[in-house]
Amino acid sequence: MSRLAGILNLLGLTMALFATTMALPVGLAIYTGDAALAAFVDAMLLSFAAGGVLWLVTRRHRAELRPRDGFLLVSMVWTVLPLLAAIPLYIYFDRAGTPLSFTDGYFEAMSGLTTTGATVLTGLDKLPPSINLWRATLVWLGGMGILVLAVAILPLLGVGGHQIFRAETPGPIKDEKLTPRIASTAKALYAIYFGLSLLCLLAYRLAGLPWFEAWCHMATTMGLGGFSTWDDGFAHFDSVAVEIVAIVFMLIAGINFATHFSVVQTRSLRPYRTCTQTIPYLALTIGAALVVSLFLYVDGVYGTVAEALRYGIFNTVSVVTTTGYANADYTQWPIFAPLVMLLLSGVATSAGSTGGGIKMIRAILLLKQARTELVVMLHPQAVSPVRLQGRVVDGRVMASVLAFMLMYGMSIAVLTILMLVSGLDPVTAFSAVVASVNNTGPGLGAIGPMGSFAVLSDFQTWLCTFGMLIGRLELFTVLILFTPAFWRK
């Protein structure tokens, strides 16, 4: 019981820290005098009070976390924070006379924090600026993980953060550190994240966006979660310059931030070349964008090569990097293009990036394992271990990758079946699940880039919400809580 109290103590602290981030929309609401000011003030006070009380009640039970404690804390945080994030939405829409259901509010907040970018809201350009700022900020905070920030702070309070970082860090190899102390690692990652975010903000501004639009789209570009301030997304801007900025920084955000750190530290681009994931990720993403563009031109969707390249590259990079922006309704394209884009969103981005899906490192390991099996079939006596950057990959790592892929496939299959049973058409059902688990955002069919998830029933929305959660926390962090072994002493 004392260990649970210790976990709740850290949960309360995280809730209180998260509440302070609402000061950003509060400041904007004061500046613009928009109608959501009272909603954010009330939500911030309520969230801070709830977290503060929980922290005070359990403050005598602080202790170093064990591995299972880290998994439980991460799952609890990513379940509770969306609830807090949704409070200002509930309050504002209720006072505006258009109440938002609990399901839709929680979905919207979960979509932001998991950097999915799927939305149930319409009329985005008519919302108070602070609401759109808050939606974008949720994506930015979720990009590197609110717990990574907490890891950098908790040691100052006498609480170690190694187990939190291991549970939160994406990818199959979690024990590598950039710096000797885990808090320094988290700070290094956030320094890179802040720096690239600033560059992205300035680039959007130079491309012609007002500061408000530049901030909102910087946040959702670096977080790879394509919330926009307009219902028609980037089609509203109709600007090649803005789209180029988005493409460049979406590609950057899909690279492992540890690799960015190494580049800055060594003042050399060599880490990009030597990284196992970066070149394959860029080659796959850019290659797919060019193939889709060529297909659109040859198929006659666009009459000129320039148009085909513009819309093909932007939308392919957006979907493959799991961002979810759109400057055209690609559900109207021949099904080959959007289906390829959606499927590639599951494998392209690097582990350690802000993207979703299984991550490039797992795809590479699976291909290497497949090649090894073919060699062994031809030469049964041969010893052909899987190697990565010249080192033999531990058998436990390969086993975890294979187990992950099994659970990934099963999760998509089960959720899709449940969506179909609930009455959804096959295209919408499958794409909604894939887009949720991969944290991509828009899907196909009724939930395409110019539509919204509001067409789903409450049951279907909760299935997508669960898909976003397990996808963001890479399945096992959540699913392990449902095993009897986890709860045994």
Side-chain angles (χ1 to χ4, degrees):
M1 193 66 183
S2 62
R3 299 208 66 86
L4 178 59
I7 294 172
L8 292 176
N9 180 261
L10 295 179
L11 175 62
L13 177 60
T14 306
M15 291 167 62
L17 288 173
F18 180 74
T20 63
T21 63
M22 295 185 194
L24 189 61
V26 166
L28 179 65
I30 292 174
Y31 178 75
T32 61
D34 73 30
L37 173 59
F40 278 107
V41 171
D42 292 347
M44 183 169 65
L45 293 176
L46 180 61
S47 300
F48 189 84
V53 168
L54 185 60
W55 179 77
L56 287 172
V57 169
T58 57
R59 67 186 184 280
R60 297 182 180 179
H61 299 281
R62 289 185 296 172
E64 181 64 31
L65 297 181
R66 300 175 301 181
R68 68 176 61 195
D69 300 332
F71 289 120
L72 182 57
L73 175 59
V74 168
S75 296
M76 291 175 68
V77 165
W78 282 91
T79 303
V80 172
L81 291 193
L83 180 60
L84 301 184
I87 292 176
L89 303 181
Y90 293 134
I91 296 175
Y92 167 74
F93 282 103
D94 183 65
R95 292 174 180 173
T98 55
L100 191 67
S101 71
F102 176 78
T103 297
D104 286 347
Y106 192 83
F107 175 91
E108 191 78 12
M110 179 68 79
S111 179
L113 282 171
T114 56
T115 74
T116 304
T119 184
V120 294
L121 301 180
T122 55
L124 299 176
D125 55 305
K126 297 180 176 61
L127 293 176
S130 58
I131 294 290
N132 276 320
L133 179 73
W134 180 235
R135 293 171 68 246
T137 302
L138 291 178
V139 175
W140 190 76
L141 292 172
M144 284 295 286
I146 190 68
L147 281 185
V148 177
L149 179 60
V151 166
I153 295 175
L154 293 180
L156 302 177
L157 304 174
V159 181
H162 182 60
Q163 300 303 339
I164 303 176
F165 188 81
R166 289 189 73 252
E168 169 64 13
T169 303
I173 304 174
K174 300 174 183 282
D175 290 318
E176 295 182 358
K177 299 180 182 180
L178 307 180
T179 55
R181 295 179 59 83
I182 199 67
S184 299
T185 300
K187 291 174 184 176
L189 292 175
Y190 250 92
I192 296 298
Y193 194 53
F194 272 103
L196 289 173
S197 296
L198 179 60
L199 289 176
C200 183
L201 175 66
L202 295 175
Y204 271 130
R205 183 69 184 92
L206 291 173
L209 291 186
W211 282 113
F212 173 73
E213 299 285 357
W215 165 264
C216 289
H217 289 88
M218 172 279 293
T220 54
T221 299
M222 292 307 302
L224 295 180
F227 276 162
S228 181
T229 55
W230 303 90
D231 287 340
D232 53 354
F234 271 62
H236 173 81
F237 303 121
D238 192 22
S239 168
V240 174
V242 171
E243 291 163 9
I244 290 174
V245 171
I247 289 170
V248 169
F249 282 94
M250 284 189 289
L251 290 173
I252 289 173
I255 296 174
N256 187 348
F257 275 77
T259 305
H260 292 314
F261 176 84
S262 297
V263 167
V264 173
Q265 192 175 46
T266 62
R267 299 181 181 180
S268 167
L269 296 179
R270 188 170 182 274
Y272 289 137
R273 298 195 302 271
T274 58
C275 174
T276 306
Q277 304 177 87
T278 302
I279 300 302
Y281 152 67
L282 292 175
L284 178 62
T285 305
I286 296 173
L290 293 175
V291 169
V292 168
S293 299
L294 177 62
F295 172 78
L296 294 176
Y297 176 69
V298 172
D299 201 64
V301 177
Y302 295 105
T304 66
V305 173
E307 276 190 313
L309 287 172
R310 175 185 177 184
Y311 294 105
I313 291 176
F314 180 84
N315 290 284
T316 302
V317 170
S318 175
V319 175
V320 172
T321 58
T322 74
T323 309
Y325 289 144
N327 64 353
D329 187 0
Y330 51 74
T331 59
Q332 302 302 312
W333 296 351
I335 190 63
F336 164 79
L339 186 59
V340 166
M341 290 155 52
L342 187 64
L343 293 178
L344 288 180
S345 71
V347 298
T349 56
S350 304
S353 72
T354 56
I358 68 171
K359 306 298 190 299
M360 177 57 72
I361 186 65
R362 287 194 179 95
I364 291 173
L365 289 175
L366 286 171
L367 289 174
K368 288 179 176 290
Q369 180 65 35
R371 185 178 63 183
T372 296
E373 293 299 323
L374 292 175
V375 171
V376 172
M377 288 176 65
L378 293 173
H379 308 284
Q381 304 304 317
V383 178
S384 182
V386 175
R387 296 178 180 273
L388 196 64
Q389 291 184 325
R391 295 181 296 177
V392 175
V393 177
D394 191 285
R396 290 174 299 177
V397 173
M398 286 307 308
S400 71
V401 170
L402 294 172
F404 178 90
M405 290 306 302
L406 175 64
M407 294 305 299
Y408 174 80
M410 287 181 60
S411 298
I412 289 179
V414 170
L415 290 175
T416 300
I417 290 171
L418 291 174
M419 295 286 264
L420 291 171
V421 169
S422 67
L424 209 57
D425 68 272
V427 172
T428 303
F430 176 71
S431 66
V433 170
V434 172
S436 297
V437 175
N438 290 339
N439 303 127
T440 304
L444 306 177
I447 55 167
M450 299 304 166
S452 79
F453 280 64
V455 299
L456 303 182
S457 68
D458 282 357
F459 176 71
Q460 294 162 352
T461 302
W462 280 112
L463 289 177
C464 290
T465 302
F466 181 71
M468 290 189 290
L469 177 64
I470 62 175
R472 176 61 179 85
L473 299 185
E474 301 212 334
L475 301 176
F476 287 124
T477 303
V478 178
L479 298 181
I480 196 174
L481 303 182
F482 296 93
T483 63
F486 180 85
W487 300 102
R488 294 194 191 110
K489 293 184 179 181

